[in-house]
Amino acid sequence: MIVWELFLAFLRVGFFAFGGGMAALPLIEREVVTRHAWLTSQEFVELVALSEMSPGPIGINAATFAGYRAAGVPGSAAATMAFCLPSLLLVGVAFGLLDRFRKHSMVASLLRGLRAAAVALIGVAAVSVVRTGIGDWFAVALAGVVFFLVLSKKVDPVLLILLAGVAGMAVYR
Amino acid sequence: MVPLVRRAMVEDERLLNDSDFMQGFSVAQILPGVLAINTACFVGRKIRGLPGALVCVAGAALPSFCIMLAVASLFGEFRHVRLVQGFMRGAAPAVAALIAAAVLEMGWRGLDTHGEIVMAFLLAGTVIVFSLHPLWAVVGGVAWGLLRHR
């Protein structure tokens, strides 16, 4: 039964994940933490960290991980397939339409609103991970350094997570 | 991932031309869902209809799916090990910073009017302060876009 619920949950996420995988994170959190309690908010931060560190789209990684934690391999298959299903449906239906009307001014305004919403969704994800993931001054400092390095020095994000993890191993013993 | 798709489809296999690909990519950005999956859907559909789309999506999702299964089961085994916990406690603030940086970069490059920037702040703020379902950010964004149009 959990497998079916996972399928429905990620179908909902897939239909409303405007702005891509990272913008889907707060929707995923809502389903797997708030609504179904398959994961704690601590485990959700672990999900985000591991999804970002692993190769491949962060959204697919997050769905696979959440599904696995909730209901093993069948759960991960259900979550990942459900997450991809809206893409398959919408590309068929919306493609011709959107492309024909995208110069239309109403569609342009709509897209502007969706763009703002996508940035807002990623902002919600950021605040949520900051709340759970940063608990002491060392973590604040680490976050500050990473923030600076990725924005101004364009250091590879995966490398930054790995280094921060190693720093964590040394400090939190 | 998208540049890799382009190179495979346009340059190596010559299944699509560049303008078809760009058109597909720009619509893939608008639709909800993972960008790489949407792009794969479009490419597959353009070349072989629905079966093509299914094959391309499976191909785009399967490697991540397999890798993530391995990561999740390994992590499940070792998550109580002290060193692993330390690693995650260090990784968490880094991830928080990376997502915050992504917000700034997306806002910087993606939003081109002051109205959009203010709206993104308002939508995120409202959802966070009132702990609303994040879906409301999408609803609010769409409503604002349509209202502005009139």
PDB file of all heavy atoms in Angstrom, chain A residues 102-117:
ATOM      1  N   ARG A 102       3.500  30.690 -27.548  1.00  0.00           N
ATOM      2  CA  ARG A 102       4.428  31.309 -26.604  1.00  0.00           C
ATOM      3  C   ARG A 102       4.696  32.778 -26.891  1.00  0.00           C
ATOM      4  O   ARG A 102       5.103  33.523 -26.016  1.00  0.00           O
ATOM      5  CB  ARG A 102       5.719  30.524 -26.497  1.00  0.00           C
ATOM      6  CG  ARG A 102       6.467  30.366 -27.779  1.00  0.00           C
ATOM      7  CD  ARG A 102       7.718  29.625 -27.472  1.00  0.00           C
ATOM      8  NE  ARG A 102       8.204  30.099 -26.176  1.00  0.00           N
ATOM      9  CZ  ARG A 102       9.272  29.655 -25.572  1.00  0.00           C
ATOM     10  NH1 ARG A 102       9.951  28.716 -26.131  1.00  0.00           N
ATOM     11  NH2 ARG A 102       9.667  30.144 -24.438  1.00  0.00           N
ATOM     12  N   LYS A 103       4.458  33.205 -28.114  1.00  0.00           N
ATOM     13  CA  LYS A 103       4.620  34.631 -28.425  1.00  0.00           C
ATOM     14  C   LYS A 103       3.397  35.431 -27.950  1.00  0.00           C
ATOM     15  O   LYS A 103       3.437  36.646 -27.868  1.00  0.00           O
ATOM     16  CB  LYS A 103       4.805  34.833 -29.932  1.00  0.00           C
ATOM     17  CG  LYS A 103       6.099  34.254 -30.456  1.00  0.00           C
ATOM     18  CD  LYS A 103       7.283  35.177 -30.141  1.00  0.00           C
ATOM     19  CE  LYS A 103       8.560  34.645 -30.753  1.00  0.00           C
ATOM     20  NZ  LYS A 103       9.039  33.431 -30.056  1.00  0.00           N
ATOM     21  N   HIS A 104       2.297  34.727 -27.710  1.00  0.00           N
ATOM     22  CA  HIS A 104       1.077  35.373 -27.246  1.00  0.00           C
ATOM     23  C   HIS A 104       1.351  36.042 -25.900  1.00  0.00           C
ATOM     24  O   HIS A 104       1.990  35.457 -25.027  1.00  0.00           O
ATOM     25  CB  HIS A 104      -0.011  34.306 -27.110  1.00  0.00           C
ATOM     26  CG  HIS A 104      -1.377  34.871 -26.930  1.00  0.00           C
ATOM     27  ND1 HIS A 104      -1.775  35.457 -25.767  1.00  0.00           N
ATOM     28  CD2 HIS A 104      -2.432  34.935 -27.768  1.00  0.00           C
ATOM     29  CE1 HIS A 104      -3.028  35.857 -25.896  1.00  0.00           C
ATOM     30  NE2 HIS A 104      -3.444  35.555 -27.100  1.00  0.00           N
ATOM     31  N   SER A 105       0.841  37.259 -25.718  1.00  0.00           N
ATOM     32  CA  SER A 105       1.266  38.026 -24.544  1.00  0.00           C
ATOM     33  C   SER A 105       0.733  37.422 -23.242  1.00  0.00           C
ATOM     34  O   SER A 105       1.374  37.516 -22.203  1.00  0.00           O
ATOM     35  CB  SER A 105       0.830  39.474 -24.669  1.00  0.00           C
ATOM     36  OG  SER A 105      -0.566  39.556 -24.593  1.00  0.00           O
ATOM     37  N   MET A 106      -0.436  36.764 -23.289  1.00  0.00           N
ATOM     38  CA  MET A 106      -0.938  36.174 -22.057  1.00  0.00           C
ATOM     39  C   MET A 106      -0.048  35.025 -21.608  1.00  0.00           C
ATOM     40  O   MET A 106       0.264  34.870 -20.423  1.00  0.00           O
ATOM     41  CB  MET A 106      -2.364  35.678 -22.226  1.00  0.00           C
ATOM     42  CG  MET A 106      -2.997  35.301 -20.906  1.00  0.00           C
ATOM     43  SD  MET A 106      -4.692  34.801 -21.062  1.00  0.00           S
ATOM     44  CE  MET A 106      -4.487  33.072 -21.377  1.00  0.00           C
ATOM     45  N   VAL A 107       0.386  34.217 -22.556  1.00  0.00           N
ATOM     46  CA  VAL A 107       1.279  33.108 -22.222  1.00  0.00           C
ATOM     47  C   VAL A 107       2.600  33.651 -21.685  1.00  0.00           C
ATOM     48  O   VAL A 107       3.158  33.130 -20.721  1.00  0.00           O
ATOM     49  CB  VAL A 107       1.509  32.202 -23.457  1.00  0.00           C
ATOM     50  CG1 VAL A 107       2.526  31.117 -23.150  1.00  0.00           C
ATOM     51  CG2 VAL A 107       0.197  31.585 -23.886  1.00  0.00           C
ATOM     52  N   ALA A 108       3.068  34.756 -22.282  1.00  0.00           N
ATOM     53  CA  ALA A 108       4.315  35.353 -21.800  1.00  0.00           C
ATOM     54  C   ALA A 108       4.178  35.806 -20.350  1.00  0.00           C
ATOM     55  O   ALA A 108       5.079  35.582 -19.530  1.00  0.00           O
ATOM     56  CB  ALA A 108       4.718  36.521 -22.688  1.00  0.00           C
ATOM     57  N   SER A 109       3.034  36.414 -19.997  1.00  0.00           N
ATOM     58  CA  SER A 109       2.830  36.840 -18.597  1.00  0.00           C
ATOM     59  C   SER A 109       2.771  35.643 -17.670  1.00  0.00           C
ATOM     60  O   SER A 109       3.309  35.657 -16.558  1.00  0.00           O
ATOM     61  CB  SER A 109       1.521  37.613 -18.439  1.00  0.00           C
ATOM     62  OG  SER A 109       1.359  38.528 -19.453  1.00  0.00           O
ATOM     63  N   LEU A 110       2.085  34.589 -18.139  1.00  0.00           N
ATOM     64  CA  LEU A 110       1.974  33.365 -17.348  1.00  0.00           C
ATOM     65  C   LEU A 110       3.361  32.790 -17.057  1.00  0.00           C
ATOM     66  O   LEU A 110       3.680  32.406 -15.935  1.00  0.00           O
ATOM     67  CB  LEU A 110       1.153  32.356 -18.149  1.00  0.00           C
ATOM     68  CG  LEU A 110       0.727  31.101 -17.414  1.00  0.00           C
ATOM     69  CD1 LEU A 110      -0.344  31.463 -16.424  1.00  0.00           C
ATOM     70  CD2 LEU A 110       0.205  30.073 -18.400  1.00  0.00           C
ATOM     71  N   LEU A 111       4.205  32.785 -18.082  1.00  0.00           N
ATOM     72  CA  LEU A 111       5.547  32.233 -17.922  1.00  0.00           C
ATOM     73  C   LEU A 111       6.367  33.065 -16.953  1.00  0.00           C
ATOM     74  O   LEU A 111       7.162  32.545 -16.174  1.00  0.00           O
ATOM     75  CB  LEU A 111       6.260  32.154 -19.270  1.00  0.00           C
ATOM     76  CG  LEU A 111       5.629  31.187 -20.258  1.00  0.00           C
ATOM     77  CD1 LEU A 111       6.418  31.145 -21.545  1.00  0.00           C
ATOM     78  CD2 LEU A 111       5.532  29.805 -19.646  1.00  0.00           C
ATOM     79  N   ARG A 112       6.137  34.373 -16.986  1.00  0.00           N
ATOM     80  CA  ARG A 112       6.843  35.249 -16.052  1.00  0.00           C
ATOM     81  C   ARG A 112       6.453  34.884 -14.614  1.00  0.00           C
ATOM     82  O   ARG A 112       7.303  34.780 -13.733  1.00  0.00           O
ATOM     83  CB  ARG A 112       6.464  36.693 -16.367  1.00  0.00           C
ATOM     84  CG  ARG A 112       7.436  37.684 -15.845  1.00  0.00           C
ATOM     85  CD  ARG A 112       7.247  39.019 -16.522  1.00  0.00           C
ATOM     86  NE  ARG A 112       7.843  39.041 -17.844  1.00  0.00           N
ATOM     87  CZ  ARG A 112       7.399  39.794 -18.842  1.00  0.00           C
ATOM     88  NH1 ARG A 112       6.328  40.539 -18.674  1.00  0.00           N
ATOM     89  NH2 ARG A 112       8.014  39.791 -19.997  1.00  0.00           N
ATOM     90  N   GLY A 113       5.158  34.652 -14.392  1.00  0.00           N
ATOM     91  CA  GLY A 113       4.695  34.251 -13.066  1.00  0.00           C
ATOM     92  C   GLY A 113       5.282  32.918 -12.642  1.00  0.00           C
ATOM     93  O   GLY A 113       5.691  32.735 -11.495  1.00  0.00           O
ATOM     94  N   LEU A 114       5.361  31.970 -13.583  1.00  0.00           N
ATOM     95  CA  LEU A 114       5.902  30.655 -13.261  1.00  0.00           C
ATOM     96  C   LEU A 114       7.386  30.729 -12.933  1.00  0.00           C
ATOM     97  O   LEU A 114       7.885  29.996 -12.081  1.00  0.00           O
ATOM     98  CB  LEU A 114       5.692  29.686 -14.430  1.00  0.00           C
ATOM     99  CG  LEU A 114       4.304  29.072 -14.530  1.00  0.00           C
ATOM    100  CD1 LEU A 114       4.189  28.208 -15.765  1.00  0.00           C
ATOM    101  CD2 LEU A 114       3.996  28.245 -13.277  1.00  0.00           C
ATOM    102  N   ARG A 115       8.085  31.654 -13.613  1.00  0.00           N
ATOM    103  CA  ARG A 115       9.509  31.815 -13.343  1.00  0.00           C
ATOM    104  C   ARG A 115       9.735  32.318 -11.921  1.00  0.00           C
ATOM    105  O   ARG A 115      10.593  31.820 -11.199  1.00  0.00           O
ATOM    106  CB  ARG A 115      10.103  32.801 -14.333  1.00  0.00           C
ATOM    107  CG  ARG A 115      11.101  32.139 -15.209  1.00  0.00           C
ATOM    108  CD  ARG A 115      11.642  32.971 -16.310  1.00  0.00           C
ATOM    109  NE  ARG A 115      11.291  34.351 -16.356  1.00  0.00           N
ATOM    110  CZ  ARG A 115      11.132  35.028 -17.499  1.00  0.00           C
ATOM    111  NH1 ARG A 115      11.262  34.409 -18.632  1.00  0.00           N
ATOM    112  NH2 ARG A 115      10.854  36.300 -17.479  1.00  0.00           N
ATOM    113  N   ALA A 116       8.928  33.308 -11.522  1.00  0.00           N
ATOM    114  CA  ALA A 116       9.027  33.806 -10.148  1.00  0.00           C
ATOM    115  C   ALA A 116       8.721  32.685  -9.159  1.00  0.00           C
ATOM    116  O   ALA A 116       9.389  32.534  -8.134  1.00  0.00           O
ATOM    117  CB  ALA A 116       8.075  34.993  -9.946  1.00  0.00           C
ATOM    118  N   ALA A 117       7.706  31.869  -9.488  1.00  0.00           N
ATOM    119  CA  ALA A 117       7.329  30.768  -8.597  1.00  0.00           C
ATOM    120  C   ALA A 117       8.462  29.753  -8.470  1.00  0.00           C
ATOM    121  O   ALA A 117       8.726  29.238  -7.377  1.00  0.00           O
ATOM    122  CB  ALA A 117       6.062  30.080  -9.113  1.00  0.00           C
TER     123      ALA A 117
END
